[in-house]
Amino acid sequence: MDNLTHSMVGALIGQAGLKRRTGLAMPALIIGANIPDVDATCVLLGEMQHLALRRGLTHGPLAMLVLPLLLAVGLWWFDRWQARRGTRPAARLPVRFGWLWMLSLIACLSHPAFDWLNSYGVRLLEPFDQRWFHGDILFIIDLWLWLGMGSAIWWSLRRERRGANWQRPARVAIAATLAYVGLNAGITWANERHAKLSAPYPLVAVANEVPVAFWRREMIIGAGDGRWLVAGQPVGVMPLGRCDLAAARRHDRAVDAFLFWSRAPVILRDGDVLLLGDARFAAGMSRDRFSVPLPAGTCRGTG
């Protein structure tokens, strides 16, 4: 999910009452909910290498052990540093390292859990297993989550300033968010089941989420050979079997990185150039970002 959503998840957890457990709880929750995205810096290695490395190691089990601990140590040190300089806010609660680490861990775990919800997916077991896990449940930027969680945070903070029960709005929002995720999971399950039980009886069915209209899905179906139907329209100019992708991977690092990342590889054409794309992003403005030119001679019968 986008980083605003991750931040609001951390803030809601805090406003549900956990921010009273220790000083610097809210920074631990909000930073912790975003810190697995430190792998975004991999863009410096190039666009395709960035794709291959994103949502992998920093979202896996080793990172879930290391990142919360580093964050807790950093915040604990920051509190001590402010105390030595005489700049520590008097209203800040005492910092309890155990709670600081626990809240950092909860926040960090929320990040891959929410990333799993969309069709982009996450490598939950990296580096032990490089499989993608994906729920195909929510679009990566969900307007309704923004409105619901944002309103609840505002309401909770407003009630806190007035001395009222400020935890309740956040707790209601957490329950509503889980119900919303469950509703969308049911929509996805029904669409994918219907697609697999209907002609042409595909082996693969992806109920791709769409922005705003959470009740709709863009169905991507295929036989596993690189030819796909996206929203009923054929995508792909030839089967993957007509292309020596193994050789292309050996000779082109970008192709290798793209195939490592891709969940639904497809051969596309742009004029006289063949592209390796992904059926999830084969149409619209995202096509250029999620495709890479194939070396000449990779595919047979391209004249």
Side-chain angles (χ1 to χ4, degrees), residues 14 31 39 48 67 83 87 125 132 135 159 172 211 222 255 257-258 272 302:
I31 296 172
D39 60 1
M48 291 305 111
L67 292 178
T87 58
L125 301 178
W132 284 110
R159 289 173 68 95
V172 169
V255 172
F258 190 91
D272 294 331
T302 60

Side-chain angles (χ1 to χ4, degrees), residues 19-202:
K19 74 176 186 179
R20 303 301 299 171
R21 298 296 181 178
T22 177
L24 295 178
M26 287 298 271
L29 287 165
I30 294 174
I31 296 172
N34 284 280
I35 201 170
D37 274 345
V38 67
D39 60 1
T41 57
C42 293
V43 72
L44 299 174
L45 302 176
E47 188 65 36
M48 291 305 111
Q49 283 70 29
H50 173 243
L51 280 180
L53 295 171
R54 283 286 277 142
R55 294 198 183 188
L57 186 60
T58 62
H59 292 60
L62 292 183
M64 293 302 104
L65 294 175
V66 174
L67 292 178
L69 181 60
L70 291 177
L71 177 58
V73 168
L75 291 173
W76 179 85
W77 174 86
F78 176 73
D79 181 71
R80 296 297 184 271
W81 176 74
Q82 283 193 316
R84 288 195 301 270
R85 295 183 70 225
T87 58
R88 186 184 190 278
R92 180 184 295 162
L93 294 173
V95 171
R96 301 173 180 174
F97 183 82
W99 269 109
L100 203 59
W101 171 79
M102 181 61 67
L103 295 180
S104 298
L105 176 61
I106 291 171
C108 280
L109 288 172
S110 77
H111 187 106
F114 271 77
D115 277 355
W116 172 81
L117 294 175
N118 50 65
S119 62
Y120 194 107
V122 60
R123 289 191 171 98
L124 290 174
L125 301 178
E126 183 89 30
F128 307 109
D129 191 321
Q130 296 173 338
R131 283 179 297 166
W132 284 110
F133 293 84
H134 37 78
D136 305 337
I137 293 171
L138 298 180
F139 190 67
I140 194 169
I141 298 176
D142 192 298
L143 174 65
W144 307 109
L145 279 184
W146 281 6
L147 292 174
M149 292 194 294
S151 298
I153 293 167
W154 171 81
W155 187 17
S156 176
L157 290 171
R158 188 166 180 263
R159 289 173 68 95
E160 185 177 7
R161 287 193 295 269
R162 294 182 173 185
N165 182 356
W166 50 271
Q167 298 100 327
R168 185 176 180 181
R171 292 172 182 175
V172 169
I174 290 173
T177 297
L178 294 175
Y180 178 69
V181 169
L183 171 64
N184 277 272
I187 293 171
T188 289
W189 177 82
N191 276 271
E192 292 185 349
R193 183 174 184 272
H194 179 265
K196 288 186 175 181
L197 294 177
S198 303
Y201 306 103

Side-chain angles (χ1 to χ4, degrees), residues 189-225:
W189 177 82
N191 276 271
E192 292 185 349
R193 183 174 184 272
H194 179 265
K196 288 186 175 181
L197 294 177
S198 303
Y201 306 103
L203 293 178
V204 182
V206 179
N208 216 23
E209 323 88 10
V210 298
V212 183
F214 69 85
W215 56 91
R216 290 184 53 240
R217 295 294 184 271
E218 180 183 71
M219 291 308 302
I220 301 173
I221 61 174
D225 61 355

